[in-house]
Structures are given as structure tokens and as C-alpha cells.
Amino acid sequence: MTTPLPFPIAEDPDDATREAARKAFAGDVQFLKGVVAMDGLPPDDRPEVCFAGRSNVGKSSLINALTGRKGIARASNTPGRTQEINFFTLNESHYLVDLPGYGFANAPVAVVEKWQRLLKQYLSGRVSLRRAFVLIDARHGVKAVDEEIMDLLDKSAVTFQAVLTKTDKLKAKDLDKILSQVREKLSKHPAAYPEIVLTSSEKGEGIPTLRAIIHGLS
């Protein structure tokens, strides 16, 4: 009997689940507000999920692909342009939360420290947060800055799920190599959800799966 891999790839949803999630994301999605301090957070009156990732990982592109709206999250060639916690409403049912990019953001140290403080406060104090999605560039695997956010999520007791982006840029054998590295890193984190999602915003791969996961969180 074959031993199952730790952190398997999330399976595609069945047709009914896929369609229900597609309809939810095709509904009313609006930018609500950008938050720079905890007192600016909207009321925690519905489930929310957040997206974390180092600068240039393709976070804005992924949110745009999920919602089917090209400009809902601003994609930028300038790393670290997102300097706020950005809240989007998904119908009346969920919040989608775009966290500030971390890593090599081109910003003064004081600004970066302020973002990090806000991030820690948000993650440890948001009772409606159901899951964090940690985006990892499939071309590079888990880097030290990704492990920092994973450590923070462990300490905050926030379940997080790894989402590999830009998977269309790799050949199958190279992706297998990256997946081995990602699994090895995730195994050290108690807050890691035991499934990985593979995505390509450009090709639409994995988008229905991620929609279904988010739609199922209540």
C-alpha cells in the first residue's frame, strides 16, 4: 500500500460545488476599504479569508482571477505597492482580505515596521478570520520571508493553506521538485492546513478549486 503524500494537492470540486462557488464569485464583489490601523477594521460580522504573500508573488492577479474582475485588486509592477489591509466584500457572505506584500518592499524601514505591527495585530485579533492563504511563487518555492509569515500564523493560531502561484511557468519535473521543498517546509508548521492548491491566474488553473474552498468556509 502506497503511503499518501503529506500535504496532497487539493482535489478539483465536483460539478455542483464548482458551479455554486462560481455563482458566488460572479455575484457582487466590491472594494470596501483600505485599513491602516486596527480601529479602521470593518465589523467582524461575517467569515473572512486573507491572502498573504511576498511582493510580486501574483496576489493581486489571483484575487482578480478569483473574482473575474481585472481591476478589483490593483496589480502592479512595483513590489510592495499594497501598503494597507484591503477589504473586499463577496456578496453579503464573506470578506476577502488582501494583506500588505512582505519581503523586498521598496519602502522605508519605519513604514515596513508599521505594516508588520498592523499585520500581527490583525492576525491575532480577528475572530472572523477563517483561513489565511499563503501564496508561494512556484518558480522559487518557500523562501525565508514566507517562513516568517508562517511562523506568525502559527503563533496567532490562524490556519493557513499554501497556494502555489504561476504553476504554468514550470515543467512537471521542476514542479515536483518545488512541491517536495514546499511540503518539507510546511511540515514544520502546526497551523498549516494539510492540502496545497496549485494555481495559474493567467491560465485559470486551480481557480475553481480555490473558489470552492473559500465558498465552503463559513
Side-chain angles (χ1 to χ4, degrees):
M1 187 171 154
T2 309
T3 306
L5 279 170
F7 298 96
I9 305 305
E11 292 184 5
D12 293 337
D14 60 44
D15 289 346
T17 305
R18 180 189 182 108
E19 181 60 10
R22 186 198 67 77
K23 281 183 176 172
F25 276 85
D28 188 37
V29 181
Q30 300 284 341
F31 172 69
L32 178 66
K33 66 189 304 194
V35 174
V36 293
M38 287 294 283
D39 59 8
L41 290 173
D44 50 2
D45 58 358
R46 68 195 74 182
E48 65 192 59
V49 298
C50 67
F51 299 88
R54 66 177 181 267
S55 302
N56 257 6
V57 75
K59 192 151 48 70
S60 296
S61 298
L62 183 72
I63 293 171
N64 290 339
L66 283 169
T67 59
R69 290 156 176 81
K70 285 186 180 174
I72 194 86
R74 292 175 303 172
S76 170
N77 291 325
T78 307
R81 182 177 167 191
T82 307
Q83 299 179 17
E84 304 171 334
I85 296 179
N86 288 314
F87 278 78
F88 301 86
T89 54
L90 176 62
N91 301 309
E92 295 297 317
S93 63
H94 290 73
Y95 287 128
L96 307 178
V97 185
D98 183 10
L99 298 180
Y102 54 83
F104 54 91
N106 185 17
V109 173
V111 173
V112 174
E113 285 176 351
K114 187 183 173 187
W115 297 348
Q116 289 172 341
R117 264 198 315 276
L118 178 60
L119 197 56
K120 286 175 183 174
Q121 289 172 330
Y122 167 73
L123 291 173
S124 59
R126 193 69 173 165
V127 295
S128 51
L129 181 59
R130 296 293 183 267
R131 190 171 300 174
F133 294 99
V134 176
L135 277 51
I136 297 160
D137 191 322
R139 298 169 301 179
H140 307 301
V142 176
K143 291 196 168 185
V145 286
D146 298 314
E147 294 204 79
E148 284 175 26
I149 194 83
M150 291 176 188
D151 286 339
L152 178 55
L153 288 158
D154 286 339
K155 288 171 190 162
S156 305
V158 173
T159 301
F160 71 87
Q161 187 162 6
V163 177
L164 268 61
T165 62
K166 309 181 185 183
T167 56
D168 59 302
K169 309 293 185 193
L170 278 82
K171 292 177 179 166
K173 63 178 174 54
D174 296 324
L175 182 58
D176 285 343
K177 216 178 289 181
I178 290 289
L179 278 168
S180 294
Q181 187 257 8
V182 171
R183 286 179 172 124
E184 189 266 325
K185 297 292 186 186
L186 290 176
S187 67
K188 300 171 183 173
H189 294 279
Y193 187 82
E195 276 185 353
I196 297 170
V197 185
L198 303 182
T199 67
S200 163
S201 299
E202 199 173 298
K203 307 282 187 187
E205 293 162 5
I207 299 302
T209 303
L210 189 50
R211 281 182 186 145
I213 290 167
I214 295 168
H215 184 58
L217 293 170
S218 56

